[in-house]
Amino acid sequence: MVNIALPKGRLGEKVYSMFERAGYACPEIRESNRKLTFQNPDAGVCYFWVKPSDVAIYVERGAADIGVAGKDILLEYAPDIYELLDLNVGKCRMCVAGPADFRDDPARTLRVATKFPRIARRHYSQRSRQIDIIKLNGSIELAPILGLSDVIVDIVETGKTLLENGLAPLETIVPISARLIANKANYKFKYDEICAICENMTQLLEQE
């Protein structure tokens, strides 16, 4: 069977529905239970739910053959995996955000608060801009409001949270969406099965 790591939450539920419509249903996954893995031998799949940021680890280490991870996770942690398909769901963007009237002063170091230091560092290094990374794990919007940082680098979906806190997207770094990824070794061992899943998912995307 093909072992599939799904991200917990709304995105995972959307993605599982896609697998379901593509012919890889597993009815027990929708039942109320405490199971951690869900198998459908007839469809040749075994699903399990993991924290979204852990999907790439399970796939990279081979515990999962394939999985679904946001492009933000792939850019930030750069796991050694194959990126097979853009599933066109979970769409948002990685942005620089801050006070709407913010003007960068190149004469001083820019303070950047973020959960994504690698993405932020790469973005500003391409501009030869000197920055001070402030790594935070939550409530990133507070940093510029309280003067901890000048700007933030974070995921923006609708921009409503920024607006309600007197902030605005200043620049888009990269569009984000969910990607189907595969373990490199397992991709070779289960090539036919994984390719079949990719083809069926691609057909589903083309129909929608």
Side-chain angles (χ1 to χ4, degrees), residues 4-27 29-30 45 47 49 68 87 89 178 180 197 200-205 207-208:
I4 305 172
L6 295 176
K8 291 179 180 176
R10 279 186 309 160
L11 176 60
E13 289 167 9
K14 282 184 183 177
V15 169
Y16 171 69
S17 291
M18 292 178 69
F19 277 105
E20 200 172 42
R21 295 196 303 277
Y24 300 97
C26 185
I29 207 170
R30 295 195 179 277
V45 291
Y47 295 100
W49 300 106
V68 176
L87 296 177
V89 293
L180 183 66
I197 291 174
N200 288 328
M201 294 292 271
T202 300
Q203 288 176 12
L204 178 69
L205 289 168
Q207 293 165 8
E208 295 186 342

Side-chain angles (χ1 to χ4, degrees), residues 111 141-149:
R111 298 171 302 157
E141 294 84 5
L142 266 178
I145 294 170
L146 299 181
L148 178 65
S149 72

Side-chain angles (χ1 to χ4, degrees), residues 120-165:
R121 201 169 282 116
R122 186 187 304 122
H123 174 67
Y124 283 106
S125 69
Q126 290 170 351
R127 311 171 162 219
S128 301
R129 182 67 173 96
Q130 187 173 3
I131 63 170
D132 174 19
I133 292 280
I134 302 164
K135 174 73 165 67
L136 296 176
N137 296 307
S139 301
I140 305 294
E141 294 84 5
L142 266 178
I145 294 170
L146 299 181
L148 178 65
S149 72
D150 300 307
V151 295
I152 63 174
V153 168
D154 201 12
I155 291 174
V156 174
E157 193 168 353
T158 64
K160 185 178 178 183
T161 303
L162 293 174
L163 185 63
E164 288 178 351
N165 287 283

Side-chain angles (χ1 to χ4, degrees), residues 46-92:
C46 174
Y47 295 100
F48 52 94
W49 300 106
V50 297
K51 188 177 177 180
S53 57
D54 289 343
V55 170
I57 298 171
Y58 276 86
V59 173
E60 182 180 34
R61 297 280 181 161
D65 301 311
I66 61 175
V68 176
K71 184 65 175 177
D72 54 315
I73 299 296
L74 304 181
L75 289 171
E76 180 61 26
Y77 298 105
D80 187 23
I81 49 86
Y82 289 136
E83 187 177 318
L84 303 178
L85 188 62
D86 183 347
L87 296 177
N88 211 30
V89 293
K91 296 171 79 171
C92 51

Side-chain angles (χ1 to χ4, degrees), residues 87-115:
L87 296 177
N88 211 30
V89 293
K91 296 171 79 171
C92 51
R93 54 205 167 113
M94 185 69 65
C95 288
V96 177
D101 60 354
F102 174 76
R103 296 293 177 269
D104 190 9
D105 179 4
R108 66 181 187 83
T109 300
L110 183 69
R111 298 171 302 157
V112 182
T114 186
K115 299 175 188 174

